[in-house]
Amino acid sequence: MTRATILARRDDAVASVDRRIFGTFVEHLGRCVYTGIYEPEHPTANADGFRLDVVDLVKELGTTTVRYPGGNFVSGFRWEDSVGPRDKRPVRRDLAWHSLETNQVGVDEFARWLALTDSELMMAANLGTRGIEEALDLLEYCNHPSGTALSDQRIANGTTEPHGIRMWCLGNEMDGPWQTGYRIAEDYGTLAARTAQAMKAADNDLELVVCGSSGSGMPTFGDWERTVLEHTYEHVDFISCHAYYQERGGDLGSYLASSLDMQYFIDTVVATADHVGRKLRSSKQIQLSFDEWNIWYLDEHRASDEVNNEWQVAPRQLEDTYSVADAVVLGGLLITLLKNHARVRSASLAQLVNVIAPIRTEPGGDAWRQTTFFPFSATSRLARGTVIVPRIDAPTYATAVHGEAPLIDSVMTHDDDSVSVFLVNRSLTEPVDLTIDLTEFQVTSLAEAATLHDDDVYAKNTIDDQERVGLKPLHGAELVDGVLALRLPPVSWSAVAAHRA
């Protein structure tokens, strides 16, 4: 039997939990918005046309912020099209996804949807086809109370109170040749700095996110961050990171260790940002916003004809159906985000509904949870207080992509009432007997112990079998004198919570 141990100590605290680490992402892409969150003809729709069955699932998921409206979509977005009387809003071509945008859901409607889900809006401004003036106009429309042309326009459109959006993205993936209006780092850095300076002149309390690399495999990775931050460092608060993972060539072992690449990504961006800060002799520290991360079968998408010239409204695009293995990897990525929470202070699971999403819907029909729903919802619910990076002693295994990877990964949180432990077992075949020393935290009893595991690692939840996969009790968990004993199934993600004295 494979064995491992974990030692938890208060001195290994990294940060207090910022709820924005449990953000998500809604883009005008495929069926994320239309027949996803918005379907006026659906039996559960409210007066605004929003599906309340989806609202209930979003609240259960535990999302806290939602990045909007893109994504690649934002680089062609004319925000003015999305406000005012719906019957006067123009239909536009979206070049990013080769579809038609009706603008029936816009800035004001989306803000009302967020109120239903108890989430905060994280707005992205178009720096692809537009620039400083348009960003300032959108800021005035959204946030100024009244008495200006655009704030009064918002009021005339039916939204009396300002939206009060605090966090703004300065464009999206501007390093990517697929992006409408993409730029070299020097050009983007200059534009982003000028835009940020102007936005903070309007409201110095804004939190601004400058575009980092679209992935650690980009040929400009590292150099892009350095150049952009040399221009923007004193004007912005975050730099973005985007990362997607998938199983390739049947190499499940490497796939389960995907979080090692995420760790490399974080370490590189932190080192680059701190280098620029020291070079500029700045007293501030740039944080990371992992505002796109998920499992995405991008290779299959590129090989398909999903993006074509048919110019449809809300075509089916990127509707990946996730397996147990996918959920275990996602849970491992979330562990990595929390372990780096001292610098990764915001994150957005991309996306929320239908498009590479934890929630799926059918037009006129059901909404259901994908496998990836469960590790996110459980972590959002249980992670409270302070993040602890525990000391893990576990065997390693060889991967073709990442070298040696530990079989076990884990992160913890604690507050005055409870301790929560999140765990991944990457072994393809073997359970792991694990002991966790929690004596320093004075735990008294187990509150819950659950695992995501299936004998078929490729089991999925589908429209015809919506509850095939879910969290199950982690049988045999015992707490004796502050030491927790567990048996983790192979290819599993688990969460355990204990009461404190």
Side-chain angles (χ1 to χ4, degrees):
M1 177 63 65
T2 304
R3 300 182 184 278
T5 61
I6 291 178
L7 178 63
R9 290 291 181 261
R10 291 177 180 273
D11 290 346
D12 296 324
V14 295
S16 297
V17 175
D18 186 328
R19 301 300 301 168
R20 289 190 296 190
I21 201 75
F22 302 113
T24 57
F25 178 28
V26 166
E27 181 173 2
H28 284 249
L29 191 178
R31 296 194 310 113
C32 187
V33 174
Y34 304 110
T35 72
I37 69 171
Y38 175 80
E39 188 179 350
E41 297 79 18
H42 194 272
T44 70
N46 69 2
D48 276 327
F50 292 121
R51 290 183 56 155
L52 297 183
D53 58 343
V54 173
V55 167
D56 288 342
L57 286 178
V58 171
K59 293 172 74 172
E60 180 186 339
L61 184 66
T63 186
T64 53
T65 60
V66 183
R67 183 168 174 253
Y68 177 84
N72 295 351
F73 172 82
V74 78
S75 290
F77 180 52
R78 308 182 197 188
W79 70 266
E80 304 92 334
D81 292 346
S82 77
V83 300
R86 279 175 163 164
D87 60 355
K88 291 182 168 52
R89 296 182 191 177
V91 176
R92 300 283 191 188
R93 293 191 303 177
D94 169 33
L95 302 184
W97 303 106
H98 279 234
S99 57
L100 295 181
E101 173 54 50
T102 66
N103 286 299
Q104 291 303 289
V105 173
V107 172
D108 295 323
E109 289 84 15
F110 190 71
R112 289 200 294 273
W113 179 82
L114 283 170
L116 297 174
T117 65
D118 301 322
S119 300
E120 174 189 353
L121 177 55
M122 177 182 181
M123 180 67 79
N126 177 0
L127 293 190
T129 58
R130 312 191 90 181
I132 302 170
E133 182 177 3
E134 291 84 0
L136 289 174
D137 285 351
L138 178 58
L139 175 61
E140 180 184 323
Y141 181 89
C142 289
N143 282 11
H144 196 77
S146 64
T148 68
L150 292 172
S151 62
D152 287 348
Q153 181 183 340
R154 183 197 69 243
I155 293 168
N157 288 338
T159 302
T160 304
E161 296 299 318
H163 296 309
I165 304 167
R166 307 319 308 161
M167 202 166 187
W168 293 74
C169 301
L170 302 173
N172 176 76
E173 294 186 352
M174 296 303 295
D175 63 330
W178 57 85
Q179 198 74 210
T180 305
Y182 78 99
R183 299 167 185 264
I184 63 171
E186 188 75 26
D187 290 349
Y188 170 69
T190 301
L191 175 60
R194 291 173 176 169
T195 305
Q197 186 275 335
M199 292 179 73
K200 290 222 171 172
D203 185 347
N204 194 49
D205 291 331
L206 298 180
E207 295 177 272
L208 301 182
V209 185
V210 72
C211 288
S213 293
S214 303
S216 62
M218 293 294 290
T220 55
F221 177 54
D223 284 339
W224 173 274
E225 280 80 2
R226 176 186 55 78
T227 302
V228 167
L229 285 174
E230 284 175 349
H231 287 281
T232 62
Y233 198 95
E234 294 300 338
H235 303 295
V236 303
D237 306 281
F238 295 83
I239 188 165
S240 71
C241 305
H242 292 182
Y244 295 99
Y245 300 95
Q246 69 171 96
E247 183 179 349
R248 290 186 167 95
D251 186 0
L252 180 57
S254 292
Y255 179 44
L256 290 170
S258 294
S259 61
L260 298 185
D261 176 79
M262 178 181 270
Q263 186 64 56
Y264 160 76
F265 197 161
I266 293 169
D267 290 343
T268 305
V269 174
V270 166
T272 304
D274 288 350
H275 164 74
V276 174
R278 289 182 175 89
K279 180 180 176 181
L280 297 175
R281 300 184 183 275
S282 175
S283 60
K284 71 184 292 186
Q285 186 180 74
I286 297 292
Q287 306 297 324
L288 275 59
S289 175
F290 239 101
D291 49 36
E292 287 190 31
W293 70 277
N294 203 350
I295 312 304
W296 181 9
Y297 283 84
L298 181 58
D299 293 351
E300 287 74 4
H301 165 69
R302 287 170 172 161
S304 75
D305 61 354
E306 286 185 339
V307 176
N308 52 53
N309 289 318
E310 294 181 4
W311 301 105
Q312 302 173 11
V313 174
R316 289 181 181 264
Q317 293 178 327
L318 281 58
E319 296 192 9
D320 287 351
T321 302
Y322 291 123
S323 69
V324 168
D326 295 326
V328 171
V329 172
L330 184 139
L333 296 172
L334 192 48
I335 285 172
T336 298
L337 293 174
L338 283 169
K339 287 168 72 171
N340 292 276
H341 201 30
R343 296 300 292 271
V344 181
R345 301 299 292 170
S346 173
S348 303
L349 179 68
Q351 294 184 15
L352 184 56
V353 184
N354 287 328
V355 175
I356 54 172
I359 298 169
R360 287 285 297 273
T361 72
E362 276 298 306
D366 293 342
W368 67 96
R369 304 164 189 83
Q370 291 235 63
T371 61
T372 54
F373 184 100
F374 299 103
F376 189 100
S377 63
T379 306
S380 177
R381 177 172 58 86
L382 293 173
R384 300 190 296 268
T386 301
V387 178
I388 300 287
V389 177
R391 307 172 193 186
I392 304 171
D393 184 2
T396 62
Y397 71 105
T399 73
V401 176
H402 307 292
E404 290 294 313
L407 285 179
I408 301 296
D409 198 9
S410 179
V411 73
M412 295 174 44
T413 66
H414 75 95
D415 62 10
D416 292 340
D417 301 317
S418 64
V419 173
S420 298
V421 187
F422 308 99
L423 300 143
V424 164
N425 177 11
R426 296 180 175 126
S427 173
L428 300 181
T429 57
E430 295 296 322
V432 173
D433 279 347
L434 177 67
T435 57
I436 306 175
D437 185 346
L438 299 173
T439 53
E440 196 168 302
F441 296 88
Q442 297 179 312
V443 292
T444 57
S445 62
L446 283 178
E448 60 183 283
T451 190
L452 187 80
H453 163 76
D454 198 280
D455 291 339
D456 178 5
V457 297
Y458 297 109
K460 302 175 180 180
N461 291 345
T462 65
I463 187 172
D464 296 321
D465 195 356
Q466 298 174 14
E467 299 182 1
R468 169 68 175 82
V469 176
L471 291 176
K472 303 174 184 177
L474 183 60
H475 295 297
E478 292 184 337
L479 180 65
V480 179
D481 295 331
V483 177
L484 180 61
L486 307 168
R487 175 166 289 183
L488 302 179
V491 189
S492 65
W493 176 91
S494 303
V496 182
H499 297 296
R500 296 187 64 187

